[in-house]
């Protein structure tokens, strides 16, 4: 194996290792979000897109070169198989054909896993953000619910006080009671909006989980095919 293909094979093994680490079930998305938010990633973010595109271009060039080699030695393999003048040429061509096919698989899987790796990082980041938003919305809903219950209790207290006081204070208490009722309606409206937002966030989280599961299944299938091809 030449130096360039050894480097591509090492890159492929590194990709497989990273994808396996990202798919570990005991590491939550929030932990990956904290890791991705380190200052060092912000410093290299400006070069990330350029490096990503550069690696894709290199892998595509290597993949096309491997395809060309496979087609080349496939045709030569067919010609020399039917020829009996050079008995050693058939084995030599077959060896080169095997190497070119191996390089084709290495470069193809490296290109595919590179795209999968970027997509997996994006999905993990989005899932972590959705889970954080869900926690915030849940806390807001609980606080709004507690405030609504508190106003309802105060409303009941004012009603009892209103019954025990005379008519002179009745108008004042009714005004305060009316104000509390209006505040209660406002809180109920806010609670309804918060509940709708929480439901939407839960749906988004479920969708992200389904996408992550589909991606994991596709990865397992590709890894199995890769193992079979090796």
């Amino acid at each position: 194996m030449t130096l360039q293909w050894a480097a591509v094979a090492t890159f492929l093994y590194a990709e497989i290792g990273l994808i396996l680490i990202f798919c570990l079930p005991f590491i939550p998305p929030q932990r990956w979000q904290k890791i991705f938010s380190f200052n060092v990633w912000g410093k290299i973010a400006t070069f990330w897109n350029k490096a990503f595109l550069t690696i894709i271009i290199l892998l595509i060039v290597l993949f096309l070169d491997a395809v060309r080699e496979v087609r080349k030695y496939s045709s030569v393999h067919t010609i020399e198989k039917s020829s009996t003048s050079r008995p050693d040429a058939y084995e030599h061509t077959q060896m080169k054909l095997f190497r070119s096919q191996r390089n084709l698989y290495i470069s193809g899987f490296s290109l595919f896993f590179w795209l999968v790796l970027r997509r997996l990082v994006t999905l993990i980041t989005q899932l972590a953000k959705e889970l954080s938003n869900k926690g915030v919305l849940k806390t807001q809903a609980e606080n709004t619910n507690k405030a609504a219950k508190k106003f309802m209790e105060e409303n009941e207290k004012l009603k009892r006080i209103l019954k025990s006081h005379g008519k002179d204070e009745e108008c004042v208490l009714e005004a305060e009671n009316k104000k509390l009722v209006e505040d209660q309606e406002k809180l109920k409206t806010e609670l309804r909006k918060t509940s709708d937002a929480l439901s939407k966030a839960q749906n988004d989280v479920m969708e992200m989980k389904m996408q992550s599961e589909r991606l994991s299944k596709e990865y397992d299938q590709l890894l199995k095919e890769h193992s079979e091809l090796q």
Side-chain angles (χ1 to χ4, degrees):
M1 183 180 289
T2 60
L3 182 61
Q4 63 177 3
W5 291 111
V8 175
T10 304
F11 183 72
L12 175 61
Y13 298 147
E15 287 177 327
I16 295 174
L18 285 176
I19 292 176
L20 285 175
I21 293 174
F22 285 143
C23 293
L24 291 177
F26 54 85
I27 302 179
Q30 292 87 343
R31 182 65 58 83
W32 289 119
Q33 178 67 16
K34 291 180 181 179
I35 295 175
F36 295 154
S37 61
F38 287 163
N39 293 330
V40 64
W41 302 115
K43 294 179 180 179
I44 66 175
T46 55
F47 306 100
W48 168 245
N49 291 328
K50 295 181 180 179
F52 178 78
L53 294 176
T54 302
I55 292 175
I56 285 181
I57 293 173
L58 290 176
L59 292 176
I60 290 175
V61 170
L62 291 174
F63 179 77
L64 294 177
D65 181 67
V67 172
R68 182 185 62 81
E69 292 291 327
V70 169
R71 295 183 62 182
K72 172 184 174 182
Y73 291 114
S74 295
S75 59
V76 175
H77 171 80
T78 305
I79 295 173
E80 292 184 350
K81 184 177 181 181
S82 59
S83 177
T84 58
S85 60
R86 298 177 61 188
D88 295 335
Y90 173 72
E91 287 78 6
H92 183 71
T93 305
Q94 190 176 15
M95 179 184 66
K96 289 186 176 181
L97 178 61
F98 171 76
R99 289 181 179 177
S100 59
Q101 289 174 343
R102 178 202 62 192
N103 296 336
L104 176 66
Y105 294 138
I106 290 175
S107 59
F109 278 107
S110 297
L111 178 61
F112 177 75
F113 284 144
W114 184 240
L115 298 174
V116 169
L117 188 62
R118 181 183 177 92
R119 182 60 177 168
L120 185 61
V121 171
T122 303
L123 289 175
I124 290 175
T125 304
Q126 292 177 355
L127 181 59
K129 290 181 180 179
E130 292 295 336
L131 291 175
S132 300
N133 293 333
K134 178 184 176 182
V136 173
L137 291 174
K138 186 177 180 180
T139 303
Q140 291 179 354
E142 291 177 353
N143 294 333
T144 306
N145 193 17
K146 290 179 180 179
K149 289 181 178 180
K150 182 178 179 181
F151 277 108
M152 291 176 67
E153 291 176 357
E154 291 180 356
N155 189 19
E156 293 296 330
K157 290 180 181 179
L158 287 175
K159 287 181 179 180
R160 290 194 295 267
I161 295 173
L162 182 61
K163 292 179 180 179
S164 61
H165 283 69
K167 294 182 180 181
D168 294 337
E169 298 179 355
E170 185 175 353
C171 296
V172 177
L173 292 175
E174 284 180 354
E176 293 180 356
N177 188 25
K178 184 177 180 180
K179 183 178 179 181
L180 287 173
V181 170
E182 292 177 354
D183 294 336
Q184 181 182 349
E185 292 297 327
K186 292 180 180 180
L187 287 172
K188 287 182 178 180
T189 303
E190 293 178 0
L191 179 61
R192 192 181 303 109
K193 293 180 180 179
T194 306
S195 299
D196 294 337
L198 179 60
S199 300
K200 183 179 179 182
Q202 290 176 346
N203 294 330
D204 293 339
V205 170
M206 292 299 297
E207 184 178 356
M208 294 294 296
K209 286 183 178 179
M210 291 176 65
Q211 291 180 358
S212 298
E213 291 176 358
R214 287 198 301 269
L215 186 59
S216 298
K217 290 180 181 178
E218 292 177 0
Y219 164 72
D220 292 337
Q221 183 177 0
L222 288 171
L223 186 60
K224 183 177 179 181
E225 293 177 358
H226 177 66
S227 300
E228 291 175 357
L229 289 173
Q230 285 183 342

